[in-house]
Amino acid sequence: MCHARCVIAAAPVPMTVWVVALAFCAQLLWSHCAADHCNWRGSGLIREPHSHTVEQVRLRCTEGSVEWMYPTQAIRIALEPNLSTSRPATVCIKPYRNSRGANIYIERAGKLELLVNEEASWLGQVYCFSVERPQQAAVFLQASPQQDISRRTVGFQYELLSSGTPAPTLVKDAMLEEVCRPCNNTELLMAICSSDFVARGFIRRVSHHISQQLSEVSVAAEHLYRQKSGVFQQEAASGEWQGSLKTLLQCQVRQGNGLFLFTGTEHFGEAWLGCAPRYKDFIRVYQAARAKRKNPCEFPLD
């Protein structure tokens, strides 16, 4: 719940001043109270200047965003998703590129550990940490001392990943062989059922970014079966769906000819490549499983 006050002097003032003052107060109240179960947007201008209490914010979703304008003092963001599982999980945070005004800490065993330094926020990197239970994740934002808080906003997106979904940016050397190997038939059949996106198309080009240790696969899809968000955009002229899929540089992805079926996951609006067999190989695997009634879900063939 949000609490805010806006005090206006009782002395006689022109009507135009009252209108401007009331509009300003309404904006402060709205910005301080713009919250739902997944996202929170607040303002440090509402806080009492000498208060030493830490504002508490609770979010109930597995993904969302936080935006703190004019940061002063500190706030604690408790991520308490409505999940039945109590298995270990990973929390990932991606600061906005223009995020300024506070350091981001994680709360672990009653102590604070620095996760994102204010000076590093502009890099747009993803920072992840593990928690024993998904309902126990907490992030602490400490405002940096400064003379002028104007034009300062701290913001980030967050995602909660299950223990079986490693964050792409946290893959260890021991996991590279597992992550980069081609999917087996069982994994492929599950991928078409559970992936965030499924598309059939061609590889236009592959770009390698050594500094980020990432490869980027540009895809032209003739058929988009589904997508979680808008990572694929349709061209009006050709009707093709254009998309960019990321993968680890260590996987040594190369451009190949022919028709592929692309599947994968989405994190912070970016698509990460999962199983990507040649379409003819997928058809063979799917039809064989369907003949034996072992396909985990129905998939349209055309």
Side-chain angles (χ1 to χ4, degrees):
M1 181 178 294
C2 298
H3 303 278
R5 295 188 307 168
C6 194
V7 180
I8 302 177
V13 293
M15 180 60 68
T16 54
V17 176
W18 274 106
V19 172
V20 172
L22 288 173
F24 177 73
C25 286
Q27 172 66 22
L28 284 181
L29 293 175
W30 177 85
S31 63
H32 183 74
C33 298
D36 55 33
H37 293 300
C38 304
N39 311 290
W40 181 84
R41 186 170 187 253
S43 171
L45 295 181
I46 304 298
R47 301 291 302 277
E48 294 288 349
H50 302 294
S51 173
H52 296 290
T53 61
V54 176
E55 183 171 357
Q56 303 288 327
V57 176
R58 286 181 169 81
L59 299 175
R60 303 288 186 180
C61 300
T62 55
E63 60 182 74
S65 63
V66 170
E67 187 176 3
W68 190 23
M69 300 180 298
Y70 314 114
T72 58
Q73 302 178 52
I75 60 173
R76 180 180 182 270
I77 311 291
L79 305 179
E80 301 173 346
N82 295 317
L83 299 176
S84 58
T85 180
S86 59
R87 299 176 61 185
T90 299
V91 177
C92 291
I93 288 175
K94 184 176 183 179
Y96 297 141
R97 285 189 176 273
N98 60 347
S99 183
R100 288 289 188 276
N103 294 324
I104 303 176
Y105 297 83
I106 60 174
E107 189 177 289
R108 199 190 302 271
K111 297 181 179 180
L112 298 180
E113 299 178 11
L114 181 63
L115 181 68
V116 186
N117 186 290
E118 177 190 2
E119 300 302 323
S121 297
W122 66 273
L123 296 174
Q125 296 180 345
V126 176
Y127 302 83
C128 302
F129 61 96
S130 59
V131 290
E132 290 298 321
R133 297 179 59 206
Q135 296 84 359
Q136 293 180 338
V139 179
F140 191 90
L141 276 64
Q142 176 68 57
S144 305
Q146 50 205 308
Q147 296 294 327
D148 182 13
I149 64 171
S150 64
R151 299 185 180 181
R152 296 273 180 162
T153 299
V154 181
F156 60 83
Q157 297 171 277
Y158 70 88
E159 284 188 6
L160 184 69
L161 308 177
S162 65
S163 57
T165 309
T169 54
L170 281 188
V171 174
K172 306 298 183 184
D173 290 341
M175 300 170 62
L176 282 176
E177 182 178 353
E178 181 71 14
V179 172
C180 295
R181 67 169 176 77
C183 296
N184 59 37
N185 293 349
T186 301
E187 293 167 337
L188 174 56
L189 292 172
M190 287 302 301
I192 63 173
C193 304
S194 60
S195 292
D196 291 336
F197 64 87
V198 181
R200 185 184 70 213
F202 305 88
I203 299 176
R204 302 185 68 178
R205 63 181 176 273
V206 177
S207 305
H208 302 294
H209 307 285
I210 298 177
S211 61
Q212 299 176 331
Q213 291 295 293
L214 295 176
S215 295
E216 194 167 359
V217 183
S218 296
V219 172
E222 62 180 23
H223 193 147
L224 180 64
Y225 297 96
R226 71 169 178 273
Q227 65 174 333
K228 182 179 177 182
S229 58
V231 295
F232 285 90
Q233 298 292 322
Q234 190 172 29
E235 288 189 346
S238 65
E240 285 186 337
W241 293 85
Q242 306 293 328
S244 180
L245 314 180
K246 295 182 182 297
T247 188
L248 297 176
L249 181 66
Q250 295 92 326
C251 292
Q252 300 180 351
V253 173
R254 299 177 182 177
Q255 184 167 349
N257 298 321
L259 194 60
F260 291 83
L261 187 72
F262 301 99
T263 69
T265 59
E266 296 181 22
H267 299 288
F268 302 112
E270 297 178 337
W272 287 82
L273 185 63
C275 299
R278 293 188 179 275
Y279 187 68
K280 63 179 182 179
D281 294 334
F282 159 71
I283 291 294
R284 174 180 53 79
V285 172
Y286 178 77
Q287 289 181 335
R290 191 176 185 185
K292 299 178 182 178
R293 297 184 178 182
K294 292 185 176 180
N295 54 310
C297 68
E298 291 294 324
F299 189 82
L301 300 179
D302 51 15

